[in-house]
DNA sequence: CTGAAAGCGCTAACAG
DNA sequence: CTGTTAGCGCTTTCAG
C-alpha cells in the first residue's frame, strides 16, 4: 500500500515532546514557546508533513468540501455554472466535488446521500428532469444541512435559490419572433414538471397574447432537453397542415434538434421558418445558420449560488428569509431568426 | 448544525449490548446469534442508521473514491471519457470524484495533493498543457499510490496508460486530404510538449513523406487546444503567399478556430481549402459545412482506464509490467473535406 | 456467542 | 509554556 504518511506523532517522538504541543505549534498557538515552535515547524517541513484531512473531518464533522449535483457536466451550461462555483469556492478555501445525476432520480438520491454521509459542508443542486419527489432534499434540509438550488430549482423547499428570469427571457424571445414578422409561432417546450419549462411556456404564451397572435395547444409540443427528443417533436410540428413559421425552443439543446429537423425538411431559415433557443451555449454561434438565443449568465449564476451557500454554511441558524436571486437574460439575435436588418 | 446522525453506539445503548456486537451484526458476522442479529438489523433500519464513511476512511486509509483530473469538463471529449469511467467505477462500488486542472499546473498539483491526502483509492489523470514537471505524480507513485494516465499521458512514469493511436489517426487524416486532391497541406498543431501533439505531428509528416507531398516547417503552426488560439494561428497561415489548400487540425477545438478563419477569409470549404479535425466531438456534425474528423473512442477510453485502475487498487504490489492500451481511431469524412463522391 | 480495550490522526479541555 | 486524557465512529484483536 505504499509508505505510511507521517503524522504529528512522528514529529512528537522525534522531538521528545507531546503530540498536543506539536499540534499547537503547527496551528501557531500563542501558548507555545518560540523556540519549540520553530523546531516543530522546521521538522514538519523537512518531513513534508501534511495533516490528515480525514481525521479532521471525523473530529469536526465537516470537510471543507461542497457538493454540486448537476444533470450532466457534458452540458456546457452546467460546465460554466460550475466554473463560477469553483471561482468563489476556491477563493474561500472550499473544494468543489462534482456529481452527475444523469437526469436519473435514483442516481440523484444516491448523490445526496453520499454528500450528506461524507460530511460535505453544503450542497448546490440543479435537479434532474425525472425527479418529482423531493423528500431526499427535504430530509437533509430538515436536519439543518445547507442547500442552495440553482437553475432547476425546487419551490417546495424553503432555502436560497438562484435562477434566471425565465418568463421574461421567453417573452423577449417570442416578441423577437413577432417583430421579425412571424405569424404562426410554435414552442418546443421542456418537460412539464420542471419549473423552468413551465415558466418559459408562460412567457411564450403571454407574448402571443399581448401581441394578439394566435395561441393554440397544437403549437406547443413537449420534448426532453435533448436534441434527439426535440428532433422527433419538431418533425411532427413541421408535418402539420398549418405549419409554423417561427419556433421558440425551450433550450439550445432542443433548438439543435429543431435546427436539424428544419434542415432535414428542406426549409430555409429564417425566411420560411425562424428559430430561437435559450441559453446561448458556445456552439450556438457555430451552427449554420448561427442560432439566435436567450443568453443566461451561467458563470454569474454559479458565483451567486456559491456565495449564498457559503454564507449559509458560515452563519448557521440565522433564520433570515430565504433569498431568491433572479438573474437577467439577454437576447442574442443571429441569422436563424433575423429576417430584417435592424 | 442540525440533528446528530445516529451511530452504532446509539443502537448498542438501546439494545443493552456492546458496540462491537452491533458492528459485527451489521457486517453479518458468522459469530453472532441469529436473534441478536435480527434485533440489531431491525433497529438499525428503523433508526435509518448509516455508517459514517469518514470513520471508515480513517480506519482503513481508503475511501472507495477514485479521483479523476481532467483539464476541463466543458470539453465534451473529457465529459464522455468521464461517463465511461463512471460506468465502470459505479458498477464496482467506487465513487468518482471529478477535478479540473483548468490547464493550470499549479491547480493540477493542488488537485493531486487533495486526492492523495484525502485518501482517495486511486487517480486517473489527463495532464494539463502547462505541465512540464511531473514530480507531483512521481511523488505519490513512488509511495505506491495507484495512477493510470489517459489521453494526455506521461511517459516518464511507469504505470498503466490508455491512449489512442494518435500517429495512425493523424496519418489517416492527412492521407484523406491527399486523396481528396489537396497538394499543399498544413497542420495546426497542439502545444509541443504534449505527447499527443507530437505524435499527431509525426503522423502528418509521415503521410506527406509517403505520398511525396511537399513538407515544410512553414506549413506547421502551433496553437493551444482552443478555438481562439487556433483562429489566430490560421489567419497567419491563410495570409501566406503559398496558401495551403488543406488543413489537418490537431483537435476539433483547433478545427473550430480554423473553420472560423476560413469562413472569415471568404474561402470555400472544401474546394478552396479542405479541413479535418481530431476527436469527432458532437458539435462537429453540426457545423457548416459539417466538420470531418478522426473519431476517438472516448467512452471506451474511460472504461479501460477505470478498469486498469481498479485492478491496480485491488491487486497492489503485483509488479507486472505496465500496460499501455492503445485504442483505434476512425476516419469520419464530412463536407468540410469531401471534394469527391467516394 | 459477546464484551472490553486499543487505535486510526487529530484537537480540546483539563491539569500542572 | 507543556503534558495527559478523552473522544470523533468504527473495527478488530484479545479475552472470556
Amino acid at each position: 500500500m505504499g509508505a505510511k504518511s507521517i503524522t504529528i506523532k512522528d514529529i512528537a517522538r522525534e522531538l521528545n515532546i507531546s503530540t498536543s504541543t506539536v499540534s499547537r505549534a503547527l496551528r501557531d498557538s500563542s501558548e507555545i514557546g518560540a523556540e519549540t515552535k520553530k523546531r516543530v515547524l522546521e521538522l514538519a517541513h523537512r518531513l513534508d508533513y501534511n495533516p490528515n484531512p480525514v481525521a479532521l473531518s471525523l473530529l469536526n464533522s465537516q470537510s471543507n468540501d461542497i457538493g454540486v449535483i448537476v444533470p450532466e457536466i457534458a452540458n456546457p451550461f452546467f460546465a460554466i455554472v460550475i466554473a463560477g462555483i469553483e471561482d468563489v469556492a476556491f477563493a474561500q478555501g472550499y473544494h468543489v466535488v462534482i456529481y452527475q445525476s444523469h437526469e436519473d432520480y435514483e442516481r440523484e438520491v444516491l448523490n445526496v446521500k453520499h454528500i450528506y454521509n461524507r460530511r460535505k459542508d453544503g450542497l448546490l443542486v440543479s435537479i434532474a428532469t425525472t425527479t418529482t419527489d423531493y423528500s431526499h432534499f427535504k430530509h437533509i434540509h430538515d436536519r439543518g444541512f445547507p442547500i442552495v438550488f440553482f437553475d432547476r430549482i425546487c419551490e417546495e423547499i424553503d432555502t436560497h435559490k438562484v435562477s434566471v428570469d425565465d418568463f421574461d427571457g421567453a417573452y423577449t424571445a417570442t416578441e423577437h419572433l413577432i417583430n421579425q414578422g412571424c405569424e404562426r409561432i410554435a414552442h418546443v417546450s421542456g418537460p412539464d414538471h420542471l419549473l423552468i419549462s413551465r415558466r418559459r411556456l408562460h412567457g411564450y404564451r403571454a407574448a402571443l397574447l399581448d401581441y394578439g397572435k394566435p395561441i393554440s395547444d397544437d403549437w406547443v409540443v413537449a420534448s426532453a432537453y435533448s436534441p434527439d427528443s426535440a428532433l422527433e417533436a419538431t418533425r411532427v410540428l413541421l408535418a402539420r397542415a398549418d405549419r409554423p413559421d417561427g419556433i421558440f425552443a425551450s433550450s439550445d439543446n432542443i433548438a439543435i434538434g429543431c435546427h436539424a429537423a428544419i434542415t432535414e425538411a428542406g426549409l430555409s431559415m429564417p425566411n420560411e421558418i425562424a428559430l430561437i433557443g435559450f441559453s446561448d451555449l458556445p456552439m450556438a454561434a457555430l451552427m449554420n445558420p448561427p442560432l439566435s438565443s436567450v443568453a443566461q449568465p451561467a458563470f454569474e449564476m454559479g458565483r451567486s449560488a456559491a456565495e449564498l451557500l457559503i454564507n449559509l454554511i458560515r452563519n448557521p441558524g440565522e433564520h433570515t428569509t430565504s433569498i431568491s436571486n433572479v438573474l437577467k437574460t439577454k437576447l442574442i439575435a443571429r441569422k436563424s431568426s433575423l429576417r430584417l436588418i435592424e
Side-chain angles (χ1 to χ4, degrees), chain A:
Chain A
M1 241 328 124
K4 279 199 29 56
S5 17
I6 75 122
T7 72
I8 53 171
K9 224 165 163 176
D10 300 319
I11 301 184
R13 190 174 347 92
E14 186 90 9
L15 260 36
N16 266 312
I17 55 180
S18 79
T19 57
S20 20
T21 305
V22 176
S23 171
R24 282 188 274 247
L26 254 17
R27 332 199 79 242
D28 198 31
S29 159
S30 59
E31 45 180 358
I32 295 289
E35 172 60 15
T36 320
K37 207 178 272 186
K38 204 177 125 231
R39 292 177 59 215
V40 170
L41 255 28
E42 207 172 272
L43 183 58
H45 185 261
R46 194 155 60 71
L47 259 38
D48 187 31
Y49 166 78
N50 281 297
N52 182 336
V54 181
L56 270 294
S57 194
L58 181 59
L59 207 53
N60 314 318
S61 292
Q62 60 153 55
S63 58
N64 279 321
D65 283 345
I66 67 186
V68 181
I69 306 178
V70 294
E72 299 283 349
I73 54 172
N75 183 327
F77 172 72
F78 291 117
I80 298 169
V81 176
I82 290 173
I85 292 171
E86 283 189 336
D87 191 47
V88 170
F90 189 71
Q92 301 282 338
Y94 288 92
H95 185 256
V96 176
V97 182
I98 302 162
Y99 296 76
Q100 302 188 68
S101 64
H102 293 291
E103 302 287 17
D104 178 37
Y105 167 72
E106 308 289 347
R107 198 66 168 264
E108 187 179 271
V109 173
L110 244 40
N111 287 340
V112 170
K113 276 212 178 104
H114 197 271
I115 288 171
Y116 183 69
N117 286 333
R118 293 303 240 267
R119 306 298 189 272
K120 304 303 179 204
D121 294 355
L123 166 61
L124 291 169
V125 58
S126 193
I127 61 181
T129 48
T130 54
T131 299
T132 51
D133 175 4
Y134 307 109
S135 52
H136 50 309
F137 296 126
K138 188 105 181 51
H139 184 75
I140 66 173
H141 179 247
D142 287 347
R143 282 169 171 63
F145 195 83
I147 305 184
V148 173
F149 290 96
F150 64 91
D151 190 49
R152 301 193 194 164
I153 64 184
C154 169
E155 282 191 309
E156 280 80 353
I157 293 177
D158 179 35
T159 184
H160 299 334
K161 303 170 176 72
V162 184
S163 54
V164 299
D165 195 334
D166 292 292
F167 180 93
D168 185 68
Y171 188 100
T172 308
T174 310
E175 191 177 37
H176 166 72
L177 292 179
I178 293 170
N179 288 339
Q180 297 299 312
C182 294
E183 285 294 333
R184 304 181 303 283
I185 301 176
H187 177 49
V188 181
S189 78
D192 227 33
H193 51 278
L194 239 43
L195 190 60
I196 55 171
S197 305
R198 294 201 303 274
R199 285 184 173 163
R200 289 171 196 178
L201 174 59
H202 292 153
Y204 154 80
R205 284 229 182 88
L208 294 184
L209 200 64
D210 286 357
Y211 282 85
K213 296 298 174 190
I215 297 185
S216 158
D217 283 348
D218 293 349
W219 294 125
V220 177
V221 292
S223 160
Y225 278 123
S226 76
D228 288 350
S229 171
L231 178 62
E232 303 264 2
T234 311
R235 276 181 186 145
V236 175
L237 210 51
L238 298 182
R240 297 187 61 87
D242 51 349
R243 198 182 64 209
D245 62 352
I247 298 181
F248 162 50
S250 191
S251 83
D252 279 359
N253 265 332
I254 288 180
I256 288 170
C258 301
H259 201 281
I262 293 169
T263 306
E264 180 185 275
L267 298 170
S268 79
M269 265 180 284
N271 291 329
E272 287 179 284
I273 187 162
L275 176 66
I276 183 165
F278 203 108
S279 276
D280 193 35
L281 300 184
M283 70 177 60
L286 302 172
M287 295 172 69
N288 174 39
L291 178 68
S292 299
S293 197
V294 177
Q296 305 193 67
F299 191 83
E300 197 41 44
M301 179 180 282
R303 284 191 50 94
S304 172
E307 278 166 4
L308 289 171
L309 183 70
I310 291 175
N311 229 304
L312 226 42
I313 293 171
R314 300 215 169 131
N315 312 69
E318 279 190 24
H319 254 310
T320 46
T321 327
S322 296
I323 299 171
S324 270
N325 188 5
V326 179
L327 306 172
K328 283 279 155 227
T329 60
K330 191 173 166 216
L331 178 73
I332 309 288
R334 297 200 182 89
K335 294 222 182 91
S336 75
S337 70
L338 264 187
R339 289 175 176 176
L340 317 166
I341 292 100
E342 283 178 332

